[in-house]
Amino acid sequence: MSTSSAKGWSYLQEKQALVEGKDISVSRTTATPPSNDFRKNMKLEANDPRNSTSSCIATVIDMQGPRLRLRLDGSDDKNDFWRLVDSSDLHPVGYCEKHKGLLQPPLGFRMNSSSWPGFLQRTLNGAVLAPDYCFKKEPSTPSHNDFQVGQKLEAVDRKNPALICPATIGAINEDQIHVTFDGWRGAFDYWCRFDSRDIFPVGWCEKSGHPLQSPGTKGNLVFFYPSVSPRNSQASPLTPSSGELSHLSPHESTVTSSEPDTTAAEPDKVCVYVNHNCYCGSLLQTRSLSEHMPMQFGPAPISRVLHDLVGACISCAIQEQQVFNILKMAAPGTGRITVTATHSGRTYTKRIVSYDKISDFIQFLEGFRESLGCCENFVSLIPLNRQCNKCKNNKTKPVLKRSDTYHPSKGGRRRWSTESSESSRGGTKVPKVITQKRQSTLEAGRSMLKKLSILLSQPPPLMPSVRSLNPAEWSVEDVMSHIKDTDSGLSPYVDHFKKHEIDGKAFLLLKSEMMLKYMGLKLGPVVKLCNIIDKLKARCGK
């Protein structure tokens, strides 16, 4: 037992109101801790703590006594959580399928939702699965609240869930108890149910081998004893250089991890080449490219290249807000790249989705080019050392420059036209051949006007309805038409969207699990539909 645990336990022994021999009726956690047969890196199924209805694949990252530190595969280390080995939230791999459920990606899944089936297969391939005997039965729930104010217990610090500290029952309100940590002011106290799995009888840490933190002294100078576990503290507050005691609280120690992130590998590096001779689309200013858009971005990590590329495109935009709006906003707490844009004197900020895999970045690049309306070779992972064949045909077409636009307010003439240039030279006479040619052109124009007037007098033919550019405004029929036009192989499934009244707004909100579970679609069509939805979201900036 660590020094911290010894001091915490001796402190509790000195108090009179101990909760001993009442573990069955008072606490849901028994006084005899369950055995822990798990090992690090074992795989199991666990409920997502942020979405309790979702079952996910999790990995054992660390253990302290009978408590497990778990990480949902596909999420990062910022969302790790702790569970007891006898928690009803934990099951062996295959439990969900056996009970006709579906394994779901965790909330904040860092990849495209359509890639979840493949990711799940790769995750479980060759993994060490936790055997059935590791999972213990959860204790029964007490029938009523028998706690009393002033009783002592051991409780999880919810602001740093790796720690268990001495605590006292400060108040009781029906089935709720107020846990107050001994020696600390109320910043760490919390209310919980009397059957919470975060509270333990006195002596539980000593029996289970879990470190118990020492109590504080209500904000005065205190000793802080780090636990033997390397996760409770990075260094002792008593340093040889200072020789003084630290004011740190055990609640303030950070949980560090010595093992690598199971979902994050060495960041991939990319290089994006910008071909200034290609068509840049209608949202960017060509004259700004040489100033704000370098010939290449990288080689650098994907997040750095993405940040610089998007920032440069916003700087080159005719209206910054247009480019800003086509960028997909990240889910709360997941965006690692911040972009800004200015519109009407106001500055807007958005956190956008970041990517860790080159395949995901390539998919983003395709959608981004489509939204900009630019040439496929304008921004590319391959340098273009020759004239672009895709833009070559466009350059043969006459392109109206700004100086060639028609201005009715200026005498009905084109700026820099033959007529205006001739008339500006002191009334130089126009050759007769040109005059005759203009006369014949006018006669042909009059004939055309007559034909147009006849056509306009007839009732207009019925035109097919045109879908709005904003998918959120689509009707159910528009959604069905878009699915059939995009992939004719999905035509047999469009009736499901009519049956469930899926319009544009609902279509953009659809998730793979909804289509599988509630619409009864098979996995193959669902993957294709998720891809269509993702492309629409990238196009409209949602």
Side-chain angles (χ1 to χ4, degrees):
M1 184 167 58
S2 67
T3 308
S4 178
S5 296
K7 282 190 172 286
W9 174 236
S10 62
Y11 160 79
L12 287 173
Q13 280 185 319
E14 294 172 1
K15 303 299 179 182
Q16 298 300 319
L18 297 179
V19 185
E20 288 187 301
K22 300 181 180 179
D23 53 284
I24 296 177
S25 60
V26 173
S27 172
R28 193 175 180 183
T29 305
T30 59
T32 303
S35 60
N36 186 354
D37 298 315
F38 285 91
R39 296 291 178 268
K40 286 186 180 180
N41 299 320
M42 279 186 172
K43 302 285 185 184
L44 63 149
E45 293 182 9
N47 291 344
D48 189 339
R50 296 180 295 169
N51 183 16
S52 58
T53 60
S54 287
S55 296
C56 310
I57 291 294
T59 302
V60 178
I61 300 300
D62 191 21
M63 298 181 293
Q64 291 194 91
R67 299 180 74 219
L68 305 175
R69 178 183 169 199
L70 301 172
R71 181 175 304 161
L72 299 181
D73 290 14
S75 65
D76 53 30
D77 58 355
K78 297 180 180 61
N79 295 306
D80 291 358
F81 58 101
W82 292 81
R83 288 291 182 270
L84 289 161
V85 295
D86 59 358
S87 172
S88 60
D89 290 342
L90 309 182
H91 305 283
V93 174
Y95 175 88
C96 194
E97 182 180 6
K98 183 179 178 181
H99 290 79
K100 298 182 180 180
L102 289 172
L103 288 173
Q104 308 291 344
L107 196 64
F109 184 52
R110 301 194 298 172
M111 301 179 185
N112 193 298
S113 58
S114 60
S115 65
W116 168 246
F119 174 84
L120 185 61
Q121 184 178 5
R122 293 192 302 271
T123 298
L124 295 177
N125 186 24
V128 179
L129 307 183
D132 292 349
Y133 63 79
C134 292
F135 301 87
K136 308 296 190 294
K137 184 178 179 181
E138 188 173 77
S140 58
T141 303
S143 57
H144 52 279
N145 185 359
D146 285 336
F147 278 108
Q148 299 175 17
V149 174
Q151 286 182 324
K152 297 293 178 183
L153 69 160
E154 299 168 0
V156 171
D157 175 6
R158 288 187 172 176
K159 292 192 176 181
N160 194 344
L163 307 180
I164 296 181
C165 309
T168 304
I169 305 297
I172 297 175
N173 183 12
E174 296 181 354
D175 61 350
Q176 299 286 319
I177 62 172
H178 189 228
V179 177
T180 60
F181 290 99
D182 294 354
W184 303 107
R185 301 191 183 278
F188 306 103
D189 302 347
Y190 58 84
W191 285 89
C192 68
R193 281 183 54 87
F194 71 95
D195 56 356
S196 170
R197 302 306 309 276
D198 289 340
I199 56 176
F200 310 92
V202 169
W204 187 89
C205 283
E206 184 185 33
K207 293 177 182 178
S208 66
H210 194 292
L212 177 67
Q213 304 302 309
S214 58
T217 57
K218 298 191 183 298
N220 298 326
L221 188 66
V222 298
F223 291 89
F224 173 55
Y225 300 90
S227 168
V228 290
S229 172
R231 305 188 181 282
N232 291 344
S233 176
Q234 296 179 356
S236 171
L238 184 59
T239 58
S241 59
S242 64
E244 296 178 356
L245 295 174
S246 170
H247 290 268
L248 288 176
S249 156
H251 301 271
E252 295 169 346
S253 63
T254 57
V255 179
T256 60
S257 176
S258 58
E259 83 289 338
D261 189 347
T262 58
T263 60
E266 185 71 19
D268 293 331
K269 293 186 178 182
V270 294
C271 184
V272 173
Y273 298 91
V274 180
N275 304 303
H276 287 186
N277 293 327
C278 288
Y279 178 57
C280 64
S282 58
L283 301 183
L284 306 183
Q285 300 182 80
T286 306
R287 64 174 181 271
S288 300
L289 297 180
S290 58
E291 180 180 355
H292 298 289
M293 191 83 74
M295 299 298 293
Q296 72 179 64
F297 296 94
I302 296 176
S303 58
R304 169 51 54 188
V305 172
L306 178 59
H307 176 274
D308 294 345
L309 172 64
V310 169
C313 289
I314 291 177
S315 300
C316 295
I318 299 173
Q319 293 185 9
E320 291 186 2
Q321 193 180 30
Q322 289 182 328
V323 178
F324 182 81
N325 286 340
I326 67 177
L327 298 171
K328 183 178 180 181
M329 181 180 291
T334 61
R336 290 178 289 171
I337 299 176
T338 304
V339 295
T340 59
T342 304
H343 180 70
S344 301
R346 298 182 62 183
T347 301
Y348 298 86
T349 303
K350 178 191 293 185
R351 285 187 178 272
I352 64 172
V353 176
S354 55
Y355 304 93
D356 297 314
K357 300 296 181 184
I358 294 179
S359 57
D360 296 332
F361 178 70
I362 292 174
Q363 186 175 359
F364 159 79
L365 210 58
E366 292 175 353
F368 190 54
R369 284 195 300 256
E370 183 179 346
S371 300
L372 289 176
C374 63
C375 172
E376 293 181 13
N377 293 324
F378 175 58
V379 285
S380 173
L381 298 181
I382 303 174
L384 190 66
N385 299 322
R386 52 179 173 76
Q387 186 178 6
C388 176
N389 293 328
K390 298 185 181 296
C391 291
K392 187 175 180 181
N393 295 332
N394 294 335
K395 290 185 178 181
T396 60
K397 297 177 183 180
V399 180
L400 286 177
K401 299 181 180 178
R402 293 191 175 188
S403 57
D404 295 331
T405 54
Y406 181 62
H407 297 275
S409 60
K410 297 186 179 181
R413 299 179 299 180
R414 292 183 183 273
R415 297 179 60 194
W416 312 113
S417 64
T418 306
E419 180 182 349
S420 60
S421 60
E422 293 294 338
S423 60
S424 64
R425 298 175 186 169
T428 304
K429 293 182 180 180
V430 180
K432 189 174 182 180
V433 177
I434 297 176
T435 305
Q436 292 175 349
K437 188 174 181 179
R438 286 182 178 174
Q439 186 67 25
S440 61
T441 303
L442 289 172
E443 290 177 358
R446 291 192 187 99
S447 175
M448 183 65 69
L449 285 173
K450 288 181 179 179
K451 292 179 180 179
L452 285 174
S453 62
I454 295 172
L455 290 173
L456 291 173
S457 62
Q458 298 175 355
L462 294 175
M463 299 293 291
S465 60
V466 180
R467 289 195 295 269
S468 169
L469 294 177
N470 184 3
E473 299 176 357
W474 288 355
S475 63
V476 176
E477 289 72 18
D478 291 335
V479 171
M480 296 167 63
S481 299
H482 180 75
I483 294 173
K484 289 189 288 187
D485 294 345
T486 306
D487 190 339
S488 58
L490 296 174
S491 298
Y493 305 98
V494 296
D495 289 337
H496 289 76
F497 292 83
K498 185 175 183 179
K499 176 182 177 182
H500 293 276
E501 300 180 359
I502 306 295
D503 59 5
K505 288 183 179 179
F507 189 56
L508 293 174
L509 294 172
L510 274 183
K511 303 294 182 185
S512 58
E513 56 268 22
M514 297 179 186
M515 291 184 277
L516 288 166
K517 191 171 183 180
Y518 300 108
M519 297 180 68
L521 300 182
K522 295 183 179 180
L523 183 59
V526 167
V527 172
K528 293 180 181 179
L529 287 166
C530 287
N531 187 41
I532 294 174
I533 294 171
D534 290 337
K535 286 186 176 180
L536 283 176
K537 288 181 178 179
R539 191 177 76 184
C540 65
K542 291 191 175 182

